[in-house]
Amino acid sequence: MAAAGDGERLLLTQRLKAAVHYTVGCLCQEVEEDKDIGFSKQSIAAISEITFRQCETFARDLEMFARHAKRSTINTEDVKLLARRSSSLLKYITQKSDELASSNLEQKEKKKKKSSAAKGERTPGEKEAAVTENEDSNMS
Amino acid sequence: ERRCSSLQHKSAPFSCVTGQKQTFSHENWFLSPEEYETWDRLYRIKESDGIKEPVLPRTQFETLENLEEIPQEGAARELSLCEWSLWQSRPFPTALVGHSEPCHHFISAMEMMEHMRQEQGDCSYGRELQPHLCVEDVNIPRNKRHLRMAKS
């Protein structure tokens, strides 16, 4: 039973590693075209193995950060904490996170408009509730 | 705050060196005149020493805008983290602090690279993983799709 579980786990690991390896290959190809250099297959393999292992470190840290904030769900604030050591990296990640938050907000707004158009006009109280809800989601 | 400053003292190198006559009487963060004298005589790097001041390399990102300014110090000796890479495929001895998980990952990665060093052309890592690749796991850019198919 345990052996079968281990085997399954190994297969899942291999599958994930293969996906990371392929994706790293694609990203390296972009860099190749951009910088006019070449990566050996071995260097791509090394980068993907490092990436795979880094994910383990990230996952563990994210879990701890969330737990530190008494949450069981990892959110964008935890991801920002991963980048805390470098202000350049932190700025980049924060920017991406803000972009994501605002596009999420836009989509929600669109959905709301659609649904409110279907239901007819909202009462002022309902409108206010919708605004505070949006502000909350913007905060997280 | 008091506890904080006493910690500062304990972690300073002088607490070990001047062990016997160490008193935590001064409440300052700064060195006392005696401590300053010891530092100046034994540890401070001066021009007459003929050695360069050691500095740690600064983080720089190839793909991001760099916010930290990198001072160009020719007179300093930048401490290298890759000069002894051949030694890094096994764990170095420890004293009080064990190796962390990320450290072990690093060692394994160095070991893996050591193994692949002899390989020419085809890569054993890729060959081993190839059969496990599921297309639904990866994102194939539309414009690259035919290109990658032709390559592989």
Side-chain angles (χ1 to χ4, degrees):
Chain A
M1 197 61 187
D6 282 352
E8 209 170 299
R9 205 184 141 83
L10 180 69
L11 279 178
L12 281 174
T13 307
Q14 301 279 70
R15 178 177 167 180
L16 201 51
K17 278 193 181 191
V20 172
H21 185 232
Y22 180 85
T23 308
V24 166
C26 293
L27 292 172
C28 284
Q29 206 184 356
E30 273 177 40
V31 177
E32 279 177 341
E33 283 155 20
D34 191 43
K35 303 265 175 194
D36 203 24
I37 47 154
F39 285 98
S40 69
K41 284 184 174 170
Q42 283 74 23
S43 62
I44 293 172
I47 295 169
S48 61
E49 178 68 11
I50 290 166
T51 307
F52 185 84
R53 288 171 178 276
Q54 189 63 43
C55 287
E56 211 175 303
T57 308
F58 282 163
R60 196 157 305 184
D61 285 352
L62 287 169
E63 216 179 317
M64 303 269 228
F65 294 157
R67 207 181 301 163
H68 186 74
K70 300 188 170 55
R71 276 184 276 103
S72 56
T73 308
I74 291 158
N75 67 19
T76 50
E77 291 308 307
D78 302 322
V79 178
K80 283 183 205 164
L81 261 187
L82 279 186
R84 71 198 177 283
R85 290 205 181 93
S86 155
S87 45
S88 308
L89 192 60
L90 186 60
K91 187 188 166 197
Y92 180 78
I93 295 288
T94 307
Q95 224 169 315
K96 288 285 157 204
S97 156
D98 292 347
E99 279 169 29
L100 249 159
S102 63
S103 81
N104 276 351
L105 202 65
E106 247 168 60
Q107 265 174 1
K108 260 192 189 172
E109 208 92 308
K110 267 184 202 163
K111 263 188 200 165
K112 281 232 170 82
K113 263 183 199 157
K114 264 187 197 163
S115 67
S116 69
K119 281 183 208 159
E121 267 303 315
R122 277 165 185 262
T123 63
E126 270 176 336
K127 253 180 198 161
E128 231 165 64
V131 168
T132 44
E133 193 190 323
N134 281 339
E135 267 167 11
D136 279 348
S137 63
N138 198 21
M139 290 279 282
S140 61
Chain B
E1 288 98 335
R2 170 101 7 134
R3 204 185 303 153
C4 196
S5 82
S6 82
L7 261 179
Q8 197 96 1
H9 281 295
K10 273 182 195 148
S11 63
F14 295 97
S15 54
C16 316
V17 178
T18 54
Q20 320 80 323
K21 57 174 222 170
Q22 183 72 40
T23 49
F24 291 108
S25 56
H26 45 85
E27 300 286 315
N28 250 322
W29 285 24
F30 306 111
L31 299 179
S32 66
E34 306 89 74
E35 284 170 341
Y36 184 88
E37 194 274 323
T38 313
W39 171 70
D40 190 56
R41 187 163 44 89
L42 294 176
Y43 309 118
R44 186 182 193 174
I45 295 174
K46 294 166 188 158
E47 257 175 61
S48 58
D49 291 330
I51 51 168
K52 290 175 172 180
E53 181 134 9
V55 291
L56 282 168
R58 302 292 188 94
T59 315
Q60 240 179 324
F61 287 95
E62 197 65 49
T63 56
L64 297 182
E65 172 201 2
N66 285 291
L67 297 173
E68 293 96 345
E69 264 186 45
I70 310 292
Q72 293 296 321
E73 283 180 290
R77 178 192 157 82
E78 192 167 278
L79 299 174
S80 172
L81 290 170
C82 56
E83 195 179 341
W84 303 99
S85 56
L86 281 177
W87 290 31
Q88 296 183 313
S89 45
R90 60 204 154 81
F92 265 58
T94 56
L96 291 174
V97 181
H99 294 299
S100 63
E101 196 84 340
C103 180
H104 281 298
H105 285 322
F106 172 75
I107 294 164
S108 307
M110 292 307 278
E111 209 182 346
M112 171 204 177
M113 284 187 254
E114 194 59 51
H115 278 298
M116 288 193 302
R117 196 185 290 275
Q118 281 84 24
E119 284 184 6
Q120 303 261 328
D122 200 35
C123 163
S124 58
Y125 186 84
R127 206 181 327 122
E128 218 175 279
L129 292 178
Q130 188 76 53
H132 297 279
L133 181 66
C134 303
V135 206
E136 65 264 35
D137 292 344
V138 295
N139 177 26
I140 302 172
R142 203 169 289 269
N143 55 335
K144 295 256 172 74
R145 203 168 288 176
H146 61 281
L147 207 142
R148 284 210 64 86
M149 292 305 173
K151 232 187 173 184
S152 59

